[in-house]
Amino acid sequence: MADDFEFADKVPPSFDRVGNVIKDSGSHGFNPGLIVLLVVGGLLLTFLIGNYVLYTYAQKTLPPRKKKPVSKKKMKKERLKQGVSAPGE
């Protein structure tokens, strides 16, 4: 009857691997995928913050843009659309 359980003192292989993973988890260091994600995220964040800073600086220091002059032909068309006759007609 004692010989019926010859595998009683052995651990199944799946549980054995889990124990090794738990033991070895601290010795591998950082995950390379996590490092790449952090570097790319940091660069993207730096780019966006830099753009915002330059935008606010430009808004404060640069003069407002001048509007294009409207041609006489376009002014005449607009007046006719509004129902006002152009001068000289």
Side-chain angles (χ1 to χ4, degrees), residues 26-82:
S27 63
H28 289 299
F30 289 111
N31 184 0
L34 179 66
I35 293 172
V36 169
L37 183 68
L38 289 174
V39 168
V40 170
L43 289 173
L44 182 66
L45 192 64
T46 304
F47 175 75
L48 292 173
I49 291 172
N51 274 348
Y52 177 73
V53 168
L54 285 173
Y55 175 76
T56 54
Y57 174 74
Q59 289 294 318
K60 290 177 186 175
T61 57
L62 293 176
R65 282 198 288 177
K66 295 179 182 176
K67 292 184 179 179
K68 281 184 172 180
V70 181
S71 68
K72 290 180 184 178
K73 207 178 206 181
K74 284 187 181 178
M75 284 180 64
K76 202 177 210 183
K77 270 188 182 179
E78 286 296 319
R79 285 187 184 151
L80 286 173
K81 279 184 186 176
Q82 292 175 0

